[in-house]
Amino acid sequence: EAGVTQFPSHSVIEKGQTVTLRCDPISGHDNLYWYRRVMGKEIKFLLHFVKESKQDESGMPNNRFLAERTGGTYSTLKVQPAELEDSGVYFCASSLLRTGGRRNTEAFFGQGTRLTVV
Amino acid sequence: AQTVTQSQPEMSVQEAETVTLSCTYDTSESDYYLFWYKQPPSRQMILVIRQEAYKQQNATENRFSVNFQKAAKSFSLKISDSQLGDAAMYFCAYRSAKSNTGKLIFGQGTTLQVKP
């Protein structure tokens, strides 16, 4: 079974440009998460989808970031326009949605997209 | 708000020896999960071990075990018989058991070097 896949693995763009990151979760995983690690700092939560709906977007840094998950399958994270401080590694994770009892299950991570804004 | 702190940016261990990675956290909740994730140089994070706060017994997974001290809010990872393949960055993470989001709160990470 394929794991969480992220595209591209690396991206170098100039300040002011637009970049779109993609995440393909594990098939059947309704939960999809985006995280970001800025160099040397902790990994921070950006947002959470349940199917196509945004469950929690409290971690999105500003309105230059737009996440979508049309159809509840893959997700995209667009940064427009990119700034220098957006550089970092963007991780996607997915997990099964458990509807009863203790909610949520183990999250599986992708390899991340290393974004460099110059 | 919950926080997770890993105070050791880098650690090294001799192959076949034992090493302990530290993690402390802060929360007002009583029901939560704690995790250790490993991120090898290939960058895909893998779950190493998890602990449920309501369980008093420390979790173990082969050569990996934790020392969970709930009152002290400490969650250290012990790696026994270290192998070259254990070299990676290790992240401690917290997740509320009550939250609907399932989001993880991570520490800063510890880079583990294994010396042959």
Side-chain angles (χ1 to χ4, degrees):
Chain A
E1 179 182 340
V4 177
T5 308
Q6 293 186 243
F7 305 97
S9 56
H10 293 86
S11 181
V12 180
I13 61 171
E14 292 184 352
K15 176 182 173 181
Q17 289 186 323
T18 298
V19 63
T20 300
L21 314 181
R22 171 169 169 150
C23 170
D24 286 69
I26 293 172
S27 178
H29 282 192
D30 288 332
N31 286 317
L32 189 149
Y33 305 86
W34 283 98
Y35 293 87
R36 175 175 75 169
R37 182 172 193 238
V38 174
M39 182 64 70
K41 297 190 176 180
E42 70 270 24
I43 300 169
K44 287 195 172 181
F45 168 81
L46 295 178
L47 89 160
H48 170 214
F49 284 100
V50 176
K51 298 183 181 178
E52 68 276 8
S53 300
K54 292 176 184 174
Q55 178 77 12
D56 180 356
E57 51 183 332
S58 61
M60 294 288 266
N62 52 60
N63 59 9
R64 295 186 294 102
F65 288 75
L66 175 63
E68 295 180 322
R69 193 182 182 194
T70 307
T73 54
Y74 71 90
S75 175
T76 58
L77 179 64
K78 180 189 289 187
V79 184
Q80 180 182 30
E83 298 290 343
L84 298 178
E85 63 265 26
D86 300 333
S87 297
V89 181
Y90 290 77
F91 293 99
C92 175
S94 71
S95 67
L96 289 168
L97 178 65
R98 182 172 291 168
T99 55
R102 300 177 74 80
R103 298 194 178 190
N104 293 300
T105 59
E106 177 187 344
F108 293 84
F109 282 79
Q111 288 188 317
T113 294
R114 182 175 296 277
L115 174 65
T116 303
V117 183
V118 296
Chain B
Q2 296 86 15
T3 59
V4 177
T5 302
Q6 292 177 250
S7 59
Q8 305 157 318
E10 296 180 352
M11 292 283 285
S12 67
V13 63
Q14 205 70 34
E15 192 176 8
E17 298 293 311
T18 296
V19 65
T20 298
L21 308 184
S22 301
C23 173
T24 59
Y25 59 95
D26 189 26
T27 184
S28 59
E29 298 179 330
S30 59
D31 194 9
Y32 49 86
Y33 302 94
L34 294 165
F35 306 85
W36 278 98
Y37 280 89
K38 169 185 176 182
Q39 187 182 21
S42 64
R43 296 189 289 128
Q44 182 168 34
M45 274 203 292
I46 304 165
L47 179 64
V48 174
I49 198 165
R50 65 180 265 170
Q51 174 81 41
E52 295 177 77
Y54 71 87
K55 292 185 177 179
Q56 293 184 344
Q57 188 172 6
N58 288 326
T60 63
E61 287 287 342
N62 301 315
R63 298 181 296 106
F64 298 87
S65 62
V66 298
N67 183 4
F68 173 48
Q69 301 289 327
K70 191 172 184 179
K73 296 180 181 174
S74 171
F75 182 63
S76 61
L77 174 70
K78 185 171 83 170
I79 306 173
S80 304
D81 186 24
S82 297
Q83 302 176 359
L84 295 177
D86 295 333
M89 178 161 279
Y90 287 80
F91 291 97
C92 178
Y94 170 102
R95 191 183 85 202
S96 171
K98 297 178 183 178
S99 170
N100 287 336
T101 75
K103 71 180 182 184
L104 294 163
I105 299 170
F106 287 90
Q108 300 90 333
T110 297
T111 300
L112 178 65
Q113 181 185 27
V114 181
K115 297 178 181 178

